Amino acid sequence: SDTIFSPDGNGTEDTTTITADITAVSDWMVEFKNSSNVIVKTISARAAVVSAPWNGRNADNQQVPDGTYTWTINATDPNTQAQATPVSGTIQVDTVIDTSEIREPLSGANLSATIPIKGLAGDRNFSRWQLYFGQGTNPTNWTWLTWGGWGGVAVLDAFGNPPTLYNWNTAQLTNGPYVLMLQVEDQAGNFSNTRIPVTLYNIAIYNERASDTIFSPDGNGTEDTTTITADITAVSDWMVE
């Protein structure tokens, strides 16, 4: 049912089921072999339909290592002992994300202005990566920044440098602690959750405006004043000239 699955008990893609039809009621058996051709699990029954769910555990109920496994179906007619031609295929057990790293900025860094966020994201069964930030030391709400989809793995270049995932403009964010989070997802349903804390400090003026760009200070009670307003990212001694 799934050629790639993640039997880690998290409720997502934890099992795969091998199915097939047989032309007559038969004693069928499905064998699962590892890359060393060793049988790790056998499931059998008598029926004209094969349905063999596997939870990624071996005959001793231990989880098998990640890797590629070969399944083979054998079927024998219990009355005539005639044997069907075996059929087989492969599945992958994948329970971890191979690479999920934020290389820059460093954990605990003090940041200002626009900061390049550099990192690595990849998996042999890669699906996508997504980058977020949250305000505070333990955010419950996250703001999405960007993502990389199929084929968008983030790897070191020829000189060993990580790619820039996003240029983060912090100039108009409230000063204080934040957390950057990189999530990498693979086709087996695994997720990474790589986080680093940072602190923002900017002195920036934004949302600036004049209440009236044309006014008439002649004392007649109409349009006699204008007001300059703005927001500042930190408490400041400000002056309007």
Side-chain angles (χ1 to χ4, degrees):
S1 58
D2 291 290
T3 56
I4 304 169
F5 74 117
S6 175
D8 55 7
N10 69 351
T12 302
E13 305 286 353
D14 283 333
T15 63
T16 189
T17 302
I18 306 303
T19 60
D21 295 321
I22 310 175
T23 55
V25 172
S26 303
D27 293 325
W28 59 259
M29 179 173 61
V30 179
E31 293 178 335
F32 297 90
K33 296 181 180 181
N34 62 20
S35 58
S36 299
N37 207 35
V38 175
I39 297 173
V40 296
K41 182 71 174 181
T42 299
I43 300 172
S44 61
R46 175 175 290 184
V49 174
V50 175
S51 180
W54 187 38
N55 61 0
R57 292 185 174 274
N58 63 19
D60 297 322
N61 201 34
Q62 297 175 328
Q63 184 171 314
V64 299
D66 283 10
T68 300
Y69 292 79
T70 300
W71 54 265
T72 302
I73 303 175
N74 291 283
T76 302
D77 187 317
N79 298 315
T80 66
Q81 300 305 306
Q83 296 183 342
T85 300
V87 296
S88 63
T90 59
I91 51 179
Q92 289 187 48
V93 173
D94 183 359
T95 61
V96 296
I97 293 295
D98 295 333
T99 307
S100 177
E101 299 179 38
I102 298 176
R103 291 286 187 92
E104 295 180 25
L106 298 178
S107 178
N110 294 313
L111 309 178
S112 62
T114 298
I115 301 298
I117 301 173
K118 300 182 179 183
L120 303 176
D123 189 87
R124 62 176 175 163
N125 296 307
F126 177 78
S127 176
R128 63 179 178 174
W129 59 263
Q130 299 190 86
L131 187 64
Y132 302 83
F133 76 87
Q135 187 174 7
T137 57
N138 189 24
T140 56
N141 295 310
W142 297 91
T143 299
W144 181 86
L145 291 174
T146 190
W147 74 295
W150 305 98
V153 292
V155 298
L156 297 173
D157 66 17
F159 303 99
N161 300 312
T164 296
L165 305 179
Y166 188 74
N167 288 306
W168 187 27
N169 185 356
T170 70
Q172 296 184 6
L173 294 174
T174 302
N175 290 332
Y178 287 78
V179 175
L180 288 169
M181 178 172 68
L182 176 63
Q183 286 188 341
V184 181
E185 179 183 354
D186 69 14
Q187 297 173 54
N190 299 303
F191 283 86
S192 72
N193 194 345
T194 302
R195 303 185 184 192
I196 64 162
V198 295
T199 300
L200 302 188
Y201 184 77
N202 291 282
I203 294 293
I205 302 168
Y206 62 101
N207 291 337
E208 66 280 357
R209 65 184 295 269
S211 60
D212 291 286
T213 56
I214 303 172
F215 72 114
S216 174
D218 57 5
N220 68 352
T222 301
E223 303 288 351
D224 283 335
T225 63
T226 189
T227 301
I228 307 302
T229 60
D231 295 317
I232 310 175
T233 55
V235 174
S236 304
D237 295 326
W238 57 263
M239 178 174 61
V240 178
E241 297 179 334

